[in-house]
Amino acid sequence: MTAQPIRLLGDPVLRSRATEVVDFDKEFHGLVRDMWDTMEATGGAGLAAPQIGVDLRVFTYHCDGHAGHLVNPVVEVLGEGYQDGPEGCLSIPGVSVDCRRHLEVVATGWNMYGEPIEVTGDHLLARCVQHEVDHLDGVLYVDRLEPRAREFALRAAGGER
């Protein structure tokens, strides 16, 4: 498979809600493998399809000792806890800012073969899942920052084009 170029802040594909996956065919399997290769090649903890210009609701992840992918994810918050911690993004390279996220989540969806799966995580894995699902909804982590932190992050990134 092949690593793909990452779409950067300012690309309209990053600001649109991605389309549900309906075909779990060989072409889709290849996309998931390309996403995995791209995530690993760039050192990311996760990668959503829109980050490589694909309008589909799928992401890959490899963080905190967990690895896999999730198709058409639905996230549910577990508990009332929050975490504040550094967050970065392959689409906003070189910028890391503290961002508030839920401490624990469970995400349900499907694997690339259309089989149901569930990912439950806390701390870093929960952060990763929330970050990637945000991408699928056209939301970037900088959108979740307090105004001053958002201004700093966008200025450091060179602004949204």
Side-chain angles (χ1 to χ4, degrees):
M1 296 295 116
T2 308
Q4 302 295 315
I6 301 289
R7 300 294 181 98
L8 300 177
L9 180 69
D11 190 314
V13 73
L14 298 174
R15 292 305 196 167
S16 300
R17 186 180 194 284
T19 304
E20 299 283 326
V21 174
V22 293
D23 294 320
F24 293 81
D25 56 14
K26 282 186 177 183
E27 183 179 342
F28 181 67
H29 301 169
L31 167 66
V32 174
R33 288 185 193 100
D34 283 351
M35 289 175 60
W36 181 267
D37 290 347
T38 303
M39 178 186 67
E40 291 293 306
T42 57
L47 181 77
Q51 290 182 275
I52 59 168
V54 177
D55 177 35
L56 289 174
R57 294 186 71 77
V58 57
F59 71 87
T60 57
Y61 62 93
H62 189 185
C63 65
D64 205 26
H66 303 274
H69 64 276
L70 195 55
V71 181
N72 298 336
V74 175
V75 175
E76 181 183 334
V77 174
L78 300 176
E80 297 179 18
Y82 286 91
Q83 58 175 315
D84 290 300
E87 197 160 325
C89 181
L90 295 173
S91 294
I92 310 172
V95 179
S96 178
V97 180
D98 279 359
C99 181
R100 176 164 259 207
R101 295 283 186 180
H102 294 283
L103 183 61
E104 298 178 89
V105 299
V106 60
T108 56
W110 290 263
N111 67 16
M112 72 171 115
Y113 304 104
E115 300 163 339
I117 56 174
E118 180 177 287
V119 177
T120 302
D122 58 16
H123 297 90
L124 186 58
L125 181 57
R127 177 178 297 282
C128 178
V129 167
Q130 291 169 85
H131 180 107
E132 300 310 328
V133 171
D134 271 355
H135 272 299
L136 302 179
D137 292 332
V139 176
L140 300 176
Y141 86 96
V142 293
D143 300 331
R144 298 205 175 272
L145 301 176
E146 296 295 325
R148 290 179 111 168
R150 177 181 162 81
E151 182 182 327
F152 167 80
L154 290 175
R155 192 170 48 250
E160 192 152 3
R161 300 163 217 13

